[in-house]
Amino acid sequence: MTQAETTSRARVAVLFCVVTAGIVGALIGVALTATAPVPGVAQVSEVVSVSIPIVRVLLDISAVATIGLALLSVLVGYDRPKLSEPIMRIARPAGVAAALVWATTALVALILQTAEYRPGSSTLSISDVGSYIADVGAGKALLIVAVLALLHAGLGILALKHGEKVPAEVRVGLGLFALLPLPVTGHASNWNYHDYTMISMELHVMSAVAWTGGLGAMAVLLVGNRTLLAHALPRFSKLATLCLILGAATGLFNGLIEISLNPSLGFWEGVFTTPYGQLVLAKLLCTGVIAGLGAYTRWKLMPQIVRHNRTALAAWATLELTVMGLAFGFAVVLTRAPVVPTT
């Protein structure tokens, strides 16, 4: 088997693990939040109810890939074009494809959430989608995300032609900016601290996406290039540490606010008896595992990588990304889960 074939299989394995873990996490969340139908009340189709979190997982993962592939150029630097350009010739078209998937999944999510908003309708029209966009903040947010993702794809196409004359920092910045509307697309927010929780959620999303995207891009494209990996990984490690601290703090803050300010439940009852609390615990567990894996990479593998020694980074990074995918699946359902016990 050639090195190219091995690398190609590694790329497929990483993507498969992340997507599968994300979908599994979303399905676990759906199972936890399932409620019994109420007689006389129009019910949302089960297909729609299950499809929304799955599509949202794919939306999040495509956003991760888009931003991570743009971030890769920043991590490897611009001073070694003979080494970095072959990698970037793969990363740039992949980034365009990821941005197009991001835009597509945002539009599909918009249609599905319109169907959820109109549970009694057997068909949907363009006017129904337009009404959802006009009346519901989540509709506007998804449309904005789709437009910004398409704009990102346009910048990526320019980068295909002009290379780094289209600055990677601009593409990273646009990608992170496109994440800002995403917290609005959920409906689990406590209005007593709405402004604070929205800011916290946006910081949480951006830190998680930058962390996962950067690690994923390196795991897929740099593990076979020890020189670039030795340069990029220490730079990424600093970013990952910041993202871990920020992501853990904001995630914990959001969860505590949602649970503690629910007047109908005690705090510990909200943590252990509601699907929301259980998903918060699941995400915290994932965060702990990710932190442990990241620490192993930082303290055990990185010193060897800096010396250009062979390591098992690909396997460890794939494991870490798989847990991250699971956490993304939990998060998708968590943003839509009320803090009430299931019935």
Side-chain angles (χ1 to χ4, degrees):
M1 184 181 296
T2 66
Q3 182 177 356
E5 290 172 333
T6 302
T7 303
S8 178
R9 290 192 176 188
R11 292 171 189 160
V12 173
V14 171
L15 182 60
F16 176 80
C17 289
V18 174
V19 172
T20 301
I23 292 174
V24 168
L27 293 177
I28 291 173
V30 169
L32 284 174
T33 56
T35 57
V38 179
V41 177
Q43 300 297 311
V44 178
S45 164
E46 291 184 0
V47 173
V48 172
S49 297
V50 174
S51 297
I52 287 175
I54 291 176
V55 171
R56 285 299 306 272
V57 165
L58 297 177
L59 184 155
D60 289 348
I61 291 175
S62 59
V64 165
T66 302
I67 294 171
L69 290 165
L71 183 62
L72 184 64
S73 184
V74 179
L75 293 174
V76 300
Y78 309 106
D79 55 340
R80 300 174 182 179
K82 290 185 179 180
L83 283 176
S84 61
E85 194 55 29
I87 299 294
M88 298 315 301
R89 279 198 291 265
I90 300 172
R92 291 186 194 114
V96 173
L100 291 174
V101 173
W102 188 4
T104 301
T105 50
L107 293 175
V108 173
L110 175 60
I111 294 170
L112 289 172
Q113 289 187 201
T114 302
E116 181 186 47
Y117 186 66
R118 302 173 62 87
S121 300
S122 57
T123 59
L124 287 178
S125 65
I126 295 177
S127 63
D128 292 330
V129 177
S131 297
Y132 181 75
I133 293 171
D135 298 338
V136 182
K140 297 180 181 69
L142 285 169
L143 182 61
I144 292 171
V145 169
V147 171
L148 291 175
L150 287 174
L151 181 57
H152 199 290
L155 284 178
I157 291 171
L158 289 176
L160 289 177
K161 182 177 181 181
H162 301 289
E164 295 310 318
K165 291 180 181 179
V166 181
E169 292 84 355
V170 173
R171 284 175 278 144
V172 173
L174 177 60
L176 293 175
F177 182 73
L179 296 175
L180 294 179
L182 285 178
V184 181
T185 62
H187 56 66
S189 59
N190 192 296
W191 286 97
N192 292 325
Y193 289 86
H194 180 261
D195 292 341
Y196 299 108
T197 56
M198 288 302 295
I199 293 171
S200 178
M201 288 173 68
E202 287 168 347
L203 291 173
H204 183 75
V205 170
M206 287 192 290
S207 61
V209 168
W211 182 10
T212 309
L215 179 62
M218 289 194 303
V220 169
L221 293 174
L222 291 190
V223 289
N225 191 316
R226 297 184 195 178
T227 301
L228 288 180
L229 186 61
H231 178 73
L233 186 59
R235 302 178 75 179
F236 173 74
S237 180
K238 297 175 183 178
L239 173 65
T241 301
L242 176 62
C243 289
L244 170 61
I245 295 171
L246 188 60
T250 52
L252 188 60
F253 172 78
N254 292 335
L256 291 177
I257 287 293
E258 289 286 343
I259 294 171
S260 63
L261 295 184
N262 188 316
S264 62
L265 292 173
F267 177 77
W268 295 113
E269 184 182 4
V271 170
F272 292 107
T273 68
T274 67
Y276 185 93
Q278 292 160 4
L279 287 170
V280 168
L281 292 176
K283 274 198 69 181
L284 285 175
L285 178 61
C286 287
T287 302
V289 173
I290 292 166
L293 293 170
Y296 181 84
T297 300
R298 170 64 181 85
W299 301 110
K300 294 293 185 180
L301 299 183
M302 195 167 75
Q304 298 299 318
I305 290 170
V306 170
R307 299 188 188 99
H308 294 201
N309 294 333
R310 184 185 296 274
T311 66
L313 177 66
W316 285 99
T318 299
L319 179 58
E320 186 174 345
L321 287 164
T322 300
V323 181
M324 287 174 166
L326 191 64
F328 271 95
F330 292 148
V332 162
V333 181
L334 186 63
T335 60
R336 298 166 51 82
V339 191
V340 293
T342 55
T343 57

